[in-house]
Amino acid sequence: MIKKVQETGHFLLLLARDFPRRNLLLAALAGTLIVTVYLSPGDNKIQPILIAEPITIALDSAPTVKEENHLQLIWQEHLVGSGDNLSTLSQRAKFSAKDVYKISSSPNGKSLRNLYPGEKLRFGANDTGQLIELHYVKTPLESQVFIRQEDSFVAETRVREPEIILSYGEGVIEDSLYLSGKQSNLPDKLIMEMADIFGWDIDFVFDIRPGDSFALLFEDRFIEGVKLSTGNIVAASFTNRNKRYQAVRYTNKKGQSNYYTPEGLSMRKTFLRTPLDIFRISDGFNLRRKHPIHKKIKAHRGVDYAAPRGTPVYAAGGGKVTEAGYSKYNGNYVFIQHGQTYITKYLHLDKKKVRKGQTVKQRQIIGTVGSTGYSTGSHLHYEFLINGVHRNPRTVTLPQARPIPKTDRLEFDLAVSPVLAQLAEYKAARQLATIQNNTTSAN
Ligand SMILES: [Zn+2]
């Protein structure tokens, strides 16, 4: 289990580089997480379980790799470095230019003309040193294999499906939000995904409190016992200020995957809770707040999201742009009407990306964060109105997106109940292990 910690730690670094724009949010989240998952002494009692029933499409097909006849061949493996090509690698492996030419001029040999650093070539020779097989390993999952037949080579593609193991992770959020250098032992990807899943109900910047906790059941992908990557969250629970939210992943007949409550309601709502890629938020919804510009109490009827200039602003929901203009107070602004009932307003934009009358989809970029109009710094001022009345965008109850259709309900229940049961089982086992451990250490 300790080994696993190191692996995930490494993975975390890689991902952090992939998501530079989200680093701030990540740092904020990661810094708050104490993940007890891989470290708890009760770990040996909880073994990962291979999923028996297909939950995602990836699980449907069994591994297709064929047994290779390694016994008769002597293998060499060469990693493609920068500047390498088939010739340089073959020379290094000491095979004749003639064989190499035969392979590269074969119908499927074209792919060998563009080798990329990090890929591998495996040369298999018989005991007289003749090249019998060449494996072009593009990824751990995909290889192109060239096999000698008489005096030429035939090619085939070998694709392997990773073995998917369900892993469990849990954590408690503590108060050292910005101070703590502690890192979560869960991959960043999972933390991001969790924020996405629960982000419709919970504001991950404003609403998180010390003592909030979560539990995740997620996929780990393995090839020959070696961990390849972390896959999707299949079930999760998040307890925010003593209110528990649960989500489970479900893939319908069309192959579309979404997260639902155990009751089959979509986690996704018809409005985004926060209409931008969040970095930080400076101020909440407070009707008695002192406005920084006017230096007096001015009713603040929205929420201000401080964010760097240029941060994309999304349409919180699908609708029609009723206003897109400029005024002395609002700066560049966009108003969107959503059906008969809802209006959302976006002020102080640096740039508008939509025109009056235009139809927009949820999450479509309608502008960028700026500081135009009466504004002290770069931020988005966002308002949410129901039947013309301002509501707090952070706490207003948002209408649900489409639930699981009645016709799919039975199938949904059959698919998600075992997963939810497993999550509950892991959680209970972990709690028991913690109690036992505390009892033991007390003695
Ligand atoms: Zn404001």
Side-chain angles (χ1 to χ4, degrees), residues 314-319 336 359-366:
Y314 306 133
I336 302 174
T359 303
V360 289
K361 287 183 191 148
Q362 185 175 52
R363 222 181 248 279
Q364 182 175 333
I365 295 170
I366 55 160

PDB file of all heavy atoms in Angstrom, residues 314-319 336 359-366:
ATOM      1  N   TYR A 314     -18.662  32.011 -18.572  1.00  0.00           N
ATOM      2  CA  TYR A 314     -19.594  31.116 -19.254  1.00  0.00           C
ATOM      3  C   TYR A 314     -21.043  31.581 -19.090  1.00  0.00           C
ATOM      4  O   TYR A 314     -21.392  32.161 -18.068  1.00  0.00           O
ATOM      5  CB  TYR A 314     -19.512  29.709 -18.660  1.00  0.00           C
ATOM      6  CG  TYR A 314     -18.153  29.080 -18.613  1.00  0.00           C
ATOM      7  CD1 TYR A 314     -17.698  28.458 -17.458  1.00  0.00           C
ATOM      8  CD2 TYR A 314     -17.320  29.089 -19.735  1.00  0.00           C
ATOM      9  CE1 TYR A 314     -16.449  27.849 -17.409  1.00  0.00           C
ATOM     10  CE2 TYR A 314     -16.075  28.484 -19.694  1.00  0.00           C
ATOM     11  CZ  TYR A 314     -15.638  27.862 -18.532  1.00  0.00           C
ATOM     12  OH  TYR A 314     -14.424  27.271 -18.480  1.00  0.00           O
ATOM     13  N   ALA A 315     -21.857  31.251 -20.066  1.00  0.00           N
ATOM     14  CA  ALA A 315     -23.306  31.372 -19.879  1.00  0.00           C
ATOM     15  C   ALA A 315     -23.693  30.333 -18.836  1.00  0.00           C
ATOM     16  O   ALA A 315     -23.371  29.156 -18.991  1.00  0.00           O
ATOM     17  CB  ALA A 315     -24.028  31.099 -21.190  1.00  0.00           C
ATOM     18  N   ALA A 316     -24.347  30.774 -17.757  1.00  0.00           N
ATOM     19  CA  ALA A 316     -24.685  29.833 -16.683  1.00  0.00           C
ATOM     20  C   ALA A 316     -25.669  28.774 -17.166  1.00  0.00           C
ATOM     21  O   ALA A 316     -25.672  27.651 -16.675  1.00  0.00           O
ATOM     22  CB  ALA A 316     -25.266  30.584 -15.496  1.00  0.00           C
ATOM     23  N   GLY A 317     -26.486  29.155 -18.128  1.00  0.00           N
ATOM     24  CA  GLY A 317     -27.435  28.208 -18.687  1.00  0.00           C
ATOM     25  C   GLY A 317     -27.732  28.582 -20.132  1.00  0.00           C
ATOM     26  O   GLY A 317     -27.338  29.666 -20.592  1.00  0.00           O
ATOM     27  N   GLY A 318     -28.427  27.709 -20.818  1.00  0.00           N
ATOM     28  CA  GLY A 318     -28.815  28.020 -22.186  1.00  0.00           C
ATOM     29  C   GLY A 318     -29.867  29.123 -22.205  1.00  0.00           C
ATOM     30  O   GLY A 318     -30.676  29.213 -21.284  1.00  0.00           O
ATOM     31  N   GLY A 319     -29.854  29.972 -23.222  1.00  0.00           N
ATOM     32  CA  GLY A 319     -30.847  31.043 -23.284  1.00  0.00           C
ATOM     33  C   GLY A 319     -30.574  32.008 -24.408  1.00  0.00           C
ATOM     34  O   GLY A 319     -29.872  31.678 -25.364  1.00  0.00           O
ATOM     35  N   ILE A 336     -28.678  37.584 -19.925  1.00  0.00           N
ATOM     36  CA  ILE A 336     -29.246  36.438 -20.642  1.00  0.00           C
ATOM     37  C   ILE A 336     -30.593  36.059 -20.030  1.00  0.00           C
ATOM     38  O   ILE A 336     -30.729  35.954 -18.808  1.00  0.00           O
ATOM     39  CB  ILE A 336     -28.293  35.208 -20.605  1.00  0.00           C
ATOM     40  CG1 ILE A 336     -26.935  35.576 -21.216  1.00  0.00           C
ATOM     41  CG2 ILE A 336     -28.893  34.019 -21.351  1.00  0.00           C
ATOM     42  CD1 ILE A 336     -25.881  34.496 -21.096  1.00  0.00           C
ATOM     43  N   THR A 359     -28.581  33.334 -29.427  1.00  0.00           N
ATOM     44  CA  THR A 359     -28.899  32.199 -28.568  1.00  0.00           C
ATOM     45  C   THR A 359     -27.590  31.593 -28.063  1.00  0.00           C
ATOM     46  O   THR A 359     -26.646  31.442 -28.837  1.00  0.00           O
ATOM     47  CB  THR A 359     -29.684  31.136 -29.362  1.00  0.00           C
ATOM     48  OG1 THR A 359     -30.853  31.772 -29.898  1.00  0.00           O
ATOM     49  CG2 THR A 359     -30.110  29.976 -28.493  1.00  0.00           C
ATOM     50  N   VAL A 360     -27.534  31.278 -26.780  1.00  0.00           N
ATOM     51  CA  VAL A 360     -26.300  30.696 -26.225  1.00  0.00           C
ATOM     52  C   VAL A 360     -26.601  29.378 -25.528  1.00  0.00           C
ATOM     53  O   VAL A 360     -27.705  29.148 -25.031  1.00  0.00           O
ATOM     54  CB  VAL A 360     -25.606  31.659 -25.231  1.00  0.00           C
ATOM     55  CG1 VAL A 360     -25.001  32.844 -25.951  1.00  0.00           C
ATOM     56  CG2 VAL A 360     -26.566  32.119 -24.135  1.00  0.00           C
ATOM     57  N   LYS A 361     -25.575  28.543 -25.500  1.00  0.00           N
ATOM     58  CA  LYS A 361     -25.687  27.260 -24.799  1.00  0.00           C
ATOM     59  C   LYS A 361     -25.041  27.381 -23.430  1.00  0.00           C
ATOM     60  O   LYS A 361     -24.216  28.266 -23.217  1.00  0.00           O
ATOM     61  CB  LYS A 361     -24.911  26.178 -25.573  1.00  0.00           C
ATOM     62  CG  LYS A 361     -25.567  25.741 -26.840  1.00  0.00           C
ATOM     63  CD  LYS A 361     -24.734  24.627 -27.459  1.00  0.00           C
ATOM     64  CE  LYS A 361     -25.203  24.328 -28.862  1.00  0.00           C
ATOM     65  NZ  LYS A 361     -24.092  23.885 -29.707  1.00  0.00           N
ATOM     66  N   GLN A 362     -25.404  26.466 -22.544  1.00  0.00           N
ATOM     67  CA  GLN A 362     -24.750  26.443 -21.245  1.00  0.00           C
ATOM     68  C   GLN A 362     -23.245  26.253 -21.432  1.00  0.00           C
ATOM     69  O   GLN A 362     -22.826  25.463 -22.270  1.00  0.00           O
ATOM     70  CB  GLN A 362     -25.294  25.282 -20.395  1.00  0.00           C
ATOM     71  CG  GLN A 362     -24.728  25.285 -18.988  1.00  0.00           C
ATOM     72  CD  GLN A 362     -25.363  24.219 -18.107  1.00  0.00           C
ATOM     73  OE1 GLN A 362     -25.418  23.055 -18.467  1.00  0.00           O
ATOM     74  NE2 GLN A 362     -25.861  24.633 -16.951  1.00  0.00           N
ATOM     75  N   ARG A 363     -22.461  26.988 -20.676  1.00  0.00           N
ATOM     76  CA  ARG A 363     -21.000  26.920 -20.678  1.00  0.00           C
ATOM     77  C   ARG A 363     -20.361  27.551 -21.919  1.00  0.00           C
ATOM     78  O   ARG A 363     -19.148  27.496 -22.088  1.00  0.00           O
ATOM     79  CB  ARG A 363     -20.510  25.473 -20.533  1.00  0.00           C
ATOM     80  CG  ARG A 363     -19.331  25.366 -19.571  1.00  0.00           C
ATOM     81  CD  ARG A 363     -18.877  23.911 -19.480  1.00  0.00           C
ATOM     82  NE  ARG A 363     -19.128  23.318 -18.176  1.00  0.00           N
ATOM     83  CZ  ARG A 363     -18.351  23.491 -17.112  1.00  0.00           C
ATOM     84  NH1 ARG A 363     -17.278  24.229 -17.175  1.00  0.00           N
ATOM     85  NH2 ARG A 363     -18.638  22.916 -15.967  1.00  0.00           N
ATOM     86  N   GLN A 364     -21.179  28.130 -22.775  1.00  0.00           N
ATOM     87  CA  GLN A 364     -20.612  28.860 -23.904  1.00  0.00           C
ATOM     88  C   GLN A 364     -19.925  30.115 -23.367  1.00  0.00           C
ATOM     89  O   GLN A 364     -20.420  30.757 -22.445  1.00  0.00           O
ATOM     90  CB  GLN A 364     -21.733  29.254 -24.877  1.00  0.00           C
ATOM     91  CG  GLN A 364     -21.237  29.978 -26.112  1.00  0.00           C
ATOM     92  CD  GLN A 364     -22.370  30.226 -27.102  1.00  0.00           C
ATOM     93  OE1 GLN A 364     -23.358  29.488 -27.149  1.00  0.00           O
ATOM     94  NE2 GLN A 364     -22.221  31.261 -27.913  1.00  0.00           N
ATOM     95  N   ILE A 365     -18.769  30.463 -23.928  1.00  0.00           N
ATOM     96  CA  ILE A 365     -18.054  31.651 -23.461  1.00  0.00           C
ATOM     97  C   ILE A 365     -18.758  32.893 -23.985  1.00  0.00           C
ATOM     98  O   ILE A 365     -18.921  33.067 -25.189  1.00  0.00           O
ATOM     99  CB  ILE A 365     -16.572  31.614 -23.911  1.00  0.00           C
ATOM    100  CG1 ILE A 365     -15.858  30.443 -23.238  1.00  0.00           C
ATOM    101  CG2 ILE A 365     -15.866  32.932 -23.566  1.00  0.00           C
ATOM    102  CD1 ILE A 365     -14.465  30.165 -23.774  1.00  0.00           C
ATOM    103  N   ILE A 366     -19.200  33.750 -23.058  1.00  0.00           N
ATOM    104  CA  ILE A 366     -19.945  34.945 -23.467  1.00  0.00           C
ATOM    105  C   ILE A 366     -19.105  36.207 -23.322  1.00  0.00           C
ATOM    106  O   ILE A 366     -19.487  37.283 -23.764  1.00  0.00           O
ATOM    107  CB  ILE A 366     -21.248  35.094 -22.648  1.00  0.00           C
ATOM    108  CG1 ILE A 366     -20.920  35.100 -21.149  1.00  0.00           C
ATOM    109  CG2 ILE A 366     -22.229  33.988 -22.985  1.00  0.00           C
ATOM    110  CD1 ILE A 366     -22.011  35.705 -20.316  1.00  0.00           C
TER     111      ILE A 366
END
